[in-house]
Amino acid sequence: MTPLDDTVRAVEALLFAAAEPMTVDSMRAYVAGDVRAALDRLVSDYAGRGINLVRRGERWHFQTAGDLAHLLRREREEVRRLSRAGIETLAIIAYHEPVTRAEIEAIRGVQISKGTLDVLMEAGWVRPAGRREIPGRPLTFATTPAFLAHFGLETRRDLPGIDDLRAAGLLDPVDLAVERAVEKANEDD
Amino acid sequence: MTPLDDTVRAVEALLFAAAEPMTVDSMRAYVAGDVRAALDRLVSDYAGRGINLVRRGERWHFQTAGDLAHLLRREREEVRRLSRAGIETLAIIAYHEPVTRAEIEAIRGVQISKGTLDVLMEAGWVRPAGRREIPGRPLTFATTPAFLAHFGLETRRDLPGIDDLRAAGLLDPVDLAVERAVEKANEDD
Amino acid sequence: MTGEQLTLDLDGWEGPLDLLLNLARAQKVDLTRISILALVEQYLGYVERARTLQLELAADYLVMAAWLAYLKSALLLPRDPVADADPEELALRLQLRLERLAAMREAGARLMARDRLGRDVFRRAAAEGLRTIRTPRWSAEIYDLIAGYGRVSARTRPVMHVVQDRAVMTLDAAIARVAAMVGSHVSWTAIERFLPDDATGAFRRSALASSFLAALELARQGRVELQQAAPFAPLYLRAPA
């Protein structure tokens, strides 16, 4: 292996020892030198190994390679089982964020029971994300860095199928889609 | 990096994710192939990196390289204000030094907790100043040069006297009122 | 279908839109090509069956049924283009809602199937953690220091004044004095007679109070006898017989 410079070794040790994923800024509080270059070097060093260095949002951490899941999987410690309502609500928040409760309910066609958002927030995947400046100033919700980390997403752009859904207009409100369809019909006439 | 075989990758991931150091036998419960050869390969791969694979007795685990341990600690200075008890105790020491703890308490009219003197010594403003040659040989306390420096004093004589304090209105007005009332009562008798 | 099964079925739906989506799936065509009319018929039939079995349906199922009945009539009957909403647009609206719910349902499933941290991939279990060592730097201003001393001085000074200036007779002095004097009084003698002749003002009050306590203490020891006719009446002392 080619010799490592001190910054690369330091960042490697730091991320290895850290209890939580770290941002570049938080790493800089510990390590001198070019942290970003060190991360690039480590990502390539660990590519293909049993451990990988991954970026989740603004945070970095080491984790085991996905293809080894069959060896390591711990079914019994299964991360909390979400109800169907919980899964759908989480997906709607992730694909539409920031999104109000009323918007979530409009998509699901049913009221959200009180516990559903609580469970998602308790899991650390969803957070309140400010109020929308419309009458009533409703609270909006968005996903957290822990959500990205848990589902192995580098950014929200990695959400499965998000580009196709956006292109198909399926992330737009129904009203907007109806308007568009009407316009299109008029053009075709 | 040369391609890794599956056993090496599996052992690497296993040891990384393990809560405890593992024996070769316990690794064999998860991983097929030549575990010992995989360990040898990993030891040499990680030599000189920020993380090392080490053997402790019969058990193997990853740990951060010893020379980087200092990086994992970060010192941060926090400015804290002295408590009222701390200020009063420091003032008494400054005006009366060298002074014993019992004398400080007599002057304050209140007991001082052990922590109060510790804080003043930690701040570097107060030092033990020998024992008083009376029964029990109690320790005396005095101020330090750092005390003078912090408060911008040339010498302790620069501290204002009790008459200066009175003139400056620094004797608490409520207590002053009590004092006057008592004096007046004595005159009336 | 038994009533019980139907109840369970209804419990399994996440609301009327969910029920509609599942009925639409049964048409086994792309959601963009479903027959809205057939879907409406199925939904209304479902709700009707629930009613004949006298099952309690949540209000939103009935609201949806009413809306779908209206949609059905709009689709079937000739319409007044001024007064009525465009039934094609209403049908499109329903179809768009179903597509959106289906999209999110599928997205949720794909999300859950990813390699999830703590189930499929793992962070280091025995991470040492990073430590921040906080070193306090204490701060105080010279004003705080001086004002603090002023406070202490003001608190303790008046007490020292009073003790120095006030003339008092201590209890010990009063006991000694009363014990010495009572020996020469075999007849009842008022307590005031035991006070110093020159005692006036605050000192006299102090001497009287201390002498009274001294009398009580000596009586307890059997070295003096006391007599008082009534509360606040003159108090007399004499040597024990």
Side-chain angles (χ1 to χ4, degrees), chain A residues 17 84 88 108 151 172 175, chain C residues 14 18 93 105 114 129:
Chain A
R84 227 171 87 193
E88 279 178 27
R108 295 195 62 231
F151 291 97
D172 297 328
D175 285 340
Chain C
E14 298 270 339
D18 183 35
R93 211 167 258 282
R105 186 158 294 174
R114 290 182 65 83

Side-chain angles (χ1 to χ4, degrees), chain C residues 9-48:
Chain C
D9 280 351
L10 280 169
D11 282 346
W13 306 123
E14 298 270 339
L17 205 59
D18 183 35
L19 173 52
L20 275 168
L21 181 57
N22 281 275
L23 294 171
R25 285 257 163 77
Q27 292 188 17
K28 297 198 191 306
V29 292
D30 192 287
L31 275 181
T32 57
R33 292 188 298 141
I34 51 164
S35 160
I36 293 290
L37 207 51
L39 186 60
V40 170
E41 293 286 2
Q42 281 178 296
Y43 184 93
L44 294 177
Y46 204 98
V47 168
E48 196 51 44

Side-chain angles (χ1 to χ4, degrees), chain A residues 90-163:
Chain A
L90 179 62
I92 292 168
I93 293 171
Y95 284 76
H96 293 82
E97 74 180 42
V99 62
T100 66
R101 188 185 181 104
E103 287 159 356
I104 298 168
E105 290 177 342
I107 293 171
R108 295 195 62 231
V110 69
Q111 290 208 326
I112 309 184
S113 67
K114 176 129 181 41
T116 305
L117 278 167
D118 286 356
V119 164
L120 296 176
M121 286 196 273
E122 194 193 317
W125 296 338
V126 163
R127 66 185 164 87
R131 296 186 176 275
R132 175 142 314 153
E133 291 305 332
I134 56 173
R137 301 188 68 240
L139 199 59
T140 65
F141 296 91
T143 55
T144 62
F147 166 81
L148 295 177
H150 182 85
F151 291 97
L153 302 162
E154 200 155 299
T155 73
R156 279 187 56 245
R157 287 190 298 278
D158 295 336
L159 284 167
I162 191 168
D163 289 338

Side-chain angles (χ1 to χ4, degrees), chain B residues 14-28:
Chain B
L14 193 60
L15 286 173
F16 174 84
E20 303 277 336
M22 295 184 81
T23 63
V24 170
D25 280 348
S26 59
M27 286 183 254
R28 285 199 180 114

Side-chain angles (χ1 to χ4, degrees), chain A residues 8-29:
Chain A
V8 175
R9 291 183 72 236
V11 170
E12 185 178 36
L14 194 61
L15 287 173
F16 185 76
E20 295 298 329
M22 295 184 82
T23 64
V24 170
D25 279 348
S26 60
M27 287 183 249
R28 285 200 180 115

Side-chain angles (χ1 to χ4, degrees), chain B residues 85-144:
Chain B
I87 285 280
E88 290 184 5
T89 303
L90 180 61
I92 291 166
I93 294 171
Y95 275 87
H96 296 272
E97 74 179 45
V99 61
T100 66
R101 185 195 182 97
E103 287 160 356
I104 296 169
E105 291 179 341
I107 295 169
R108 266 196 86 210
V110 188
Q111 287 210 327
I112 51 173
S113 67
K114 169 131 175 47
T116 306
L117 278 169
D118 288 350
V119 162
L120 295 176
M121 287 196 272
E122 184 188 282
W125 295 336
V126 163
R127 64 183 166 85
R131 296 187 178 276
R132 174 133 322 147
E133 291 307 332
I134 56 173
R137 299 187 70 241
L139 200 58
T140 66
F141 297 93
T143 55
T144 63

